[in-house]
Amino acid sequence: MSDKRVRVRFAPSPTGGLHLGGVRTALFNYLFAKKHNGDFVLRIEDTDQNRYVEGAEQYIIDCLNWCGITPDESPVTPGQYAPYRQSERKTLYREYAERLVMQGHAYYAFDTAEELDKNRKEIPNFQYGQVYRDGLRNSLSLPQHLVDQLLADHTPHVIRIKIPADQTVSFTDMIRGRVSFETNTIDDKVLLKADGMPTYHLAVVVDDYLMKISHAFRGEEWLPSAPIHLLLWDYLGWKADMPQWAHLPLILKPDGHGKLSKRDGARLGFPVFALDWEGTEGFSGMGFLPEAFVNFLATLGWNDGSGHEIFTLDELVTKFSIDRISKAGARFDFEKAKWFNAEWIKKVKAERLKVEVKKVLTDKGIIVEDDTYLLTIIELIKDRCTLLPDFYQQSAYFFQTPAGYDLNAVKPKWTNEKTDFFKAIIEQLKSTEKLIAADFEASFKALAEEKGLKTGDVMLPFRIMLVGGKFGPHVFDIAALLGKDETIDRVEKALIEFTA
RNA sequence: GGCCCGUUCGUCUAGGGGUUAGGACGUUAGAUUUUCAUUCUAGAAACAGGGGUUCGAUUCCCCUACGGGCUACCA
């Protein structure tokens, strides 16, 4: 590793929602940059106008912000290497492509899409490369005057790289070690499209150079095109400045085979996007904490070797290291993702959860007026919540009387003695000034004994009176929080139902 | 088909020439909780196969198998 400043980029194309794999690539970029006091750049690779999706760029930025991995430089917060959208850099790529043509490393090609399709169909293993290029319509095969004429007539054309024969291109990947390719198996990829836009291959090299990128992280699907990029770095004369490459293992589908795709979420019933995207619920919408989401993503293909799995973003930054990234693809496991969220809900303070929980309750029509009351409730129930919406189910009864009662759990075993007991409880409560959990528990038990009832026989009914079902924290804590009047009220109401 | 990458419990992974192959999720059983969850304890569960190298290979090398990726004027 040289001593030049660490600069990394996350370079997504705005073609839709940002899925797990993309966010993880961004995260690893961020972690590496921050660990080495470097810069994290967001560059939008919108060179394909056909696939451009309105709003996708803003969505990507929102996702990164939600995750807490905000770029230092981006289209909306440009640094000195602006612009950060490749579409806005369009004019600059042509110059480099022409330069390659002049040097004999690239050439003009006039073949139409139809002609190429025909070849691909008729010739087995057809490649636009050294074997066939002489028989096709390009500046290598056509006489110079004809090429000049075609160019002068503005005949649609592309610029292709001229892959050399009989060479071995190899490099050292930070994750995979030495990787080699034979140039004879590589085809002459298009560098500049007929519309003047560069393809990924040209744009990524030019921009990484111009933006002084020192380390390039990208998914493993890019490995096969790495030799093209290596050749380009060389031909453009920038070899000494080439970033170090790191091809990240892919995130695979939880079932079956293949890499995780955007459609898998809908099919398998779990989110693949960080934030909601066009009606598809994301991790955020499903009730994940960004801390948990990021933590989970970090462990998909990386671990710190200690056996610990719960890390804050800052901890990830200090612990991150490329040599602990695994080579094999990681299957996405939604159960594990949920476990991370549950751990994070337990770990953070109630205060941290306040805004999110309030929103969950508000969405369900519960207006929270007293923040202190809410905080106490959150503290009391957070250990039993996995996703944010669980807070509704676990706390609704604190704000409204139970919508219904689990009558099956009480009615079959109901007796007149129990009715008497609860009537006595009401009276006892009425005569106390304030409901204190410990005091009330003691007197509740004493009264049960006095009436010849087993505490257990009245505890469950009491819980169901207050909560509606067999769940929730210590019942006397609930009563104390509800307060004397509300408790009395609920017991009275429930009694009617239980004895009906 | 061609090229490239990969392969330790169901899943994420640790380990690495001699280990009872460790942890986590999930799962099973039990304890605690007079509810549920949490928590705790215990259990089942893996080195793809074949050749080398070696005193010894899960670990190093080769082959095979399997998995994955790429093979567009998409990224």
Side-chain angles (χ1 to χ4, degrees), chain A residues 263-278:
Chain A
R263 290 177 303 278
D264 288 326
R267 184 170 62 88
L268 271 7
F270 57 78
V272 288
F273 299 130
L275 264 30
D276 296 357
W277 172 255
E278 288 182 346

Side-chain angles (χ1 to χ4, degrees), chain A residues 1 5 25-26 40 57 62 77 104 127 152 157 221 241 267 277-279 349 370-371 384 398-399 438 463 468 489 499:
Chain A
M1 224 173 282
R5 180 169 183 83
T25 302
F40 173 46
E57 179 189 309
D62 292 343
T77 53
Q127 284 201 143
H157 64 277
E221 71 267 29
D241 297 311
R267 184 170 62 88
W277 172 255
E278 288 182 346
K349 298 261 190 325
D370 184 348
D371 275 11
R384 51 191 76 216
F398 280 111
F399 302 95
R463 166 178 299 282
D489 203 46
T499 55

Side-chain angles (χ1 to χ4, degrees), chain A residues 401-443:
Chain A
T401 52
Y405 299 102
D406 183 354
L407 292 174
N408 290 333
V410 284
K411 274 200 123 178
K413 286 182 277 184
W414 195 257
T415 59
N416 289 334
E417 285 72 24
K418 290 183 183 176
T419 307
D420 291 345
F421 170 80
F422 281 105
K423 280 182 174 163
I425 282 291
I426 291 168
E427 291 314 310
Q428 190 193 76
L429 240 22
K430 279 180 177 166
S431 64
T432 52
E433 204 167 303
K434 188 173 190 293
L435 201 167
I436 310 287
D439 297 350
F440 182 46
E441 180 171 0
S443 56

